[in-house]
Amino acid sequence: MIVANRLADGRAVFFTEDGDWSPDLARVLVANEDAIDDALDAALKFEGSNDVVSVEAIEADTSTNPARPAHMKPLMQTTGPTVRPDLGYQTGTNWE
Amino acid sequence: MYKYDEYDHEIVGARVAEFRDQVNRRLKGELTEEEFRPLRLMNGLYLQLHAYMLRVAIPYGTLSSDQLRRLARIARVYDKGYGHFTTRQNIQYNWPKLVETPDILQELADVEMHAIQTSGNCIRNVTTDQFAGATAEEIDDPRIYGEIIRQWSSLHPEFSFLPRKFKIAITGAEKDRAAVKWHDIGLVMKRGPEGEPGFEVLVGGGMGRTPVIAKTIRDFLPEPYLLSYLEAILRVYNEQGNRDNKYKARIKILVDAIGADEFARQTEAEWEKMKDQPIDVPAEEIARIRSYFAPPALPVLDAQDDAVDALAAKNVMFKAWLKNNTHPHKVPGHVAVTISLKPAGGIPGDASDSQMELIADLADQYSQGDVRVSHEQNLILPHVAWRDLADLWTALDGAGLGFANAGLVSDIIACPGLDYCSLANARSIPLAQELSNRFADLTRLEDVGPLKIKISGCINSCGHHHAGHIGILGVDRRGVENYQILLGGSGEEDATKAELLGPGFGADEIADKIEQVIAVYLDIREEDEHFLAAYRRVGPAPFKEALYAAA
Ligand code: SF4
């Protein structure tokens, strides 16, 4: 999967199946090694158009449904700070 | 406190306008991220895991009540209702939007604050004793020199692109509450043979992956020569510091490579060439800056008050707070009060907008409108009359700010860690919360006594784990959070590096292990012996045995 931060507010977002960005893991594109380069090219176009920054391909954990990032840091980005569940994506409301 | 002159206003105002233009150009796509990144960092704006983070400088940890009120307003209007006070005596906001950052900087400029030089390879905010200007122990108010250094180092063209970031700390008292020996340059105020003021100068301290305690390169530098001597040190470093490898770029590596004696020799040689050039501040200018820090005219009062005694007799928390959270003041009948930002289960250093506003109001009412930030992530009211303590504490306690744990085991330093920081390996805050919950009971807290736990989420050591009596370092062990324990560090005048005890522990067991360390201490301590003294007496063996033997 591919993660980035939105330029305007820095919020962590993931590249989606339909070629957009979202914090919603259910929509996130999961590509195998062959397909990830093409996906990354598509994602990087959004860096060119100044929608997102820090675009990065990361390992996915596909044993869960939906798939989620395999490593701690991007996993943290899917929720927000664990110590303020009232503020991050956990709340599901004050983000978009 | 210091008031901006025309020149200060002009440069800070110009920077806000410049950054507003840069942000607009970035949002329109006229600047690439690569071009913009160094520009935003020069204005204290980082990109973290979930959002941007703005680091605002609080020069030598001193705030007026109006400034604190403004910080509260920024938290409420532009952020999510809170700010995080750091070990650098600064404040960080965790959720600013890029487009609003210029407005935030303007709000700061309106109260004579900014975020310049809170990032990058330049001289950062000078830090000092949180009790400066109040403590009976000091030779002089170190903020006078902090301000002189601030003016000299702000946008100094020669020192804007150093090999690496550069941190200076200064203490006016022999008792070191500013961790000066852990800084690139540490200054300790002293008196010379004729009673004249001056400084012991230390260089090459620092934490990070190579912890080093600073070494003295001059026992006594007369006060008038402060800036020329600092400039000589910076020149030697700027010329010879390693610019190829950022892990070897701090001054501590240079001092270690050539030796402190050689570094001192080169500094002295450089200084000889420049000490009579117009670098140093004339006596009249020092006097002018001193006048901004003139001690408030406090009346000599009784250090006894019936209302204080009555509340202490019926409220154990207040009684403990009087003991733990007040510090003797120069003027009899007054104290400096530490407001703990470490309630049981709380996030160390976080304060909400309404808490900040309350503290600002209480500063006006009880502390001459003066507030300080300590590197231990608490707030201080430096000039409080003893007779006001019952009312003050009652107001603080009503807002969750009355905890009597200053200097005790739950007064934990913790960096933001993996909850916020993009460099982190592990979370710091949840561990601090867990530990402070386990030591929430006042009797237990006081029984354990003075004990400094310091937690960093990675080797960058923002949580000062190398200087912790108990230091905890978060590492990434094959993708899983893991915590190493270090024991026996000190950030004070008797500075020592904490030693790694052994292999790390998982997130689910580290709090138990820390409790075990403390249990060993309680078991071995001799009468009234503090943790650090006990550790120094017995060494790591009994702790190792308890933590690893069974495994
Ligand atoms: S110590 Fe590491 S994790 Fe903690 S704030 Fe500093 S850089 Fe981030």
Side-chain angles (χ1 to χ4, degrees), chain B residues 478-509:
Chain B
R478 289 189 290 277
V480 181
E481 290 167 302
N482 194 267
Y483 296 89
Q484 297 179 343
I485 299 176
L486 299 89
L487 296 182
S490 165
E492 300 181 15
E493 59 281 5
D494 61 349
T496 43
K497 276 188 278 185
E499 296 160 350
L500 181 66
L501 197 63
F505 299 98
D508 53 345
E509 46 177 2

Side-chain angles (χ1 to χ4, degrees), chain B residues 314-377:
Chain B
K314 64 173 195 222
N315 188 312
V316 287
M317 185 62 81
F318 178 61
K319 188 171 171 214
W321 185 82
L322 286 178
K323 179 161 112 229
N324 300 326
N325 291 47
T326 67
H327 180 85
H329 197 282
K330 280 179 189 174
V331 181
H334 292 78
V335 288
V337 164
T338 299
I339 301 170
S340 170
L341 298 183
K342 324 283 178 71
I347 298 178
D350 274 16
S352 70
D353 51 350
S354 54
Q355 286 178 326
M356 287 189 250
E357 271 162 358
L358 173 72
I359 293 169
D361 290 346
L362 294 172
D364 281 338
Q365 207 175 342
Y366 298 116
S367 179
Q368 312 289 319
D370 195 345
V371 186
R372 308 294 173 76
V373 184
S374 72
H375 86 269
E376 293 182 322
Q377 303 179 282

Side-chain angles (χ1 to χ4, degrees), chain B residues 48 53 55 84 87 92 165 414-428 455-465 473-474:
Chain B
Q48 296 286 35
M53 179 272 279
R55 180 180 296 153
H84 176 74
T87 52
Q92 295 180 173
K165 58 186 166 185
C415 78
L418 189 58
D419 279 296
Y420 293 97
C421 175
S422 59
L423 302 172
N425 286 324
R427 282 171 291 172
S428 307
I455 311 173
S456 303
C458 82
I459 194 66
N460 288 319
S461 319
C462 306
H464 291 192
H465 64 277
L473 169 64

Side-chain angles (χ1 to χ4, degrees), chain B residues 149-378:
Chain B
I149 296 170
R150 187 192 73 81
Q151 295 193 13
W152 161 77
S153 63
S154 291
L155 309 180
H156 192 305
E158 191 178 335
F159 305 136
S160 292
F161 297 96
L162 293 166
R164 198 78 179 88
K165 58 186 166 185
F166 203 91
K167 300 173 182 174
I168 302 175
I170 175 168
T171 167
E174 210 174 305
K175 173 80 198 153
D176 179 8
R177 280 174 287 264
V180 301
K181 294 188 179 174
W182 286 101
H183 284 73
D184 295 287
I185 294 178
L187 298 167
V188 182
M189 291 211 74
K190 279 191 166 171
R191 292 213 178 273
E194 313 292 322
E196 73 279 21
F199 309 89
E200 178 183 344
V201 182
L202 299 98
V203 295
M207 300 203 189
R209 68 185 61 221
T210 319
V212 184
I213 290 166
K215 297 179 187 68
T216 300
I217 57 164
R218 198 171 227 278
D219 284 323
F220 185 75
L221 175 74
E223 179 227 39
Y225 293 110
L226 176 63
L227 291 190
S228 56
Y229 201 80
L230 292 182
E231 193 142 333
I233 295 172
L234 263 301
R235 283 217 175 144
V236 173
Y237 169 55
N238 209 7
E239 224 174 82
Q240 295 181 51
N242 187 325
R243 286 174 188 271
D244 301 329
N245 179 347
K246 81 171 192 178
Y247 300 122
K248 299 203 180 303
R250 294 289 287 267
I251 194 173
K252 63 190 174 188
I253 307 287
L254 176 64
V255 173
D256 187 57
I258 65 176
D261 290 346
E262 174 59 16
F263 189 91
R265 193 194 62 73
Q266 292 189 19
T267 300
E268 295 281 327
E270 191 66 39
W271 184 50
E272 276 307 315
K273 287 190 263 171
M274 54 202 272
K275 74 188 226 197
D276 293 315
Q277 309 216 351
I279 296 168
D280 284 306
V281 182
E284 316 80 75
E285 180 60 9
I286 296 181
R288 190 183 73 89
I289 290 177
R290 173 179 297 279
S291 69
Y292 290 114
F293 298 94
L298 302 173
V300 171
L301 297 172
D302 268 353
Q304 189 278 329
D305 179 79
D306 289 346
V308 171
D309 291 346
L311 184 57
K314 64 173 195 222
N315 188 312
V316 287
M317 185 62 81
F318 178 61
K319 188 171 171 214
W321 185 82
L322 286 178
K323 179 161 112 229
N324 300 326
N325 291 47
T326 67
H327 180 85
H329 197 282
K330 280 179 189 174
V331 181
H334 292 78
V335 288
V337 164
T338 299
I339 301 170
S340 170
L341 298 183
K342 324 283 178 71
I347 298 178
D350 274 16
S352 70
D353 51 350
S354 54
Q355 286 178 326
M356 287 189 250
E357 271 162 358
L358 173 72
I359 293 169
D361 290 346
L362 294 172
D364 281 338
Q365 207 175 342
Y366 298 116
S367 179
Q368 312 289 319
D370 195 345
V371 186
R372 308 294 173 76
V373 184
S374 72
H375 86 269
E376 293 182 322
Q377 303 179 282
N378 292 313

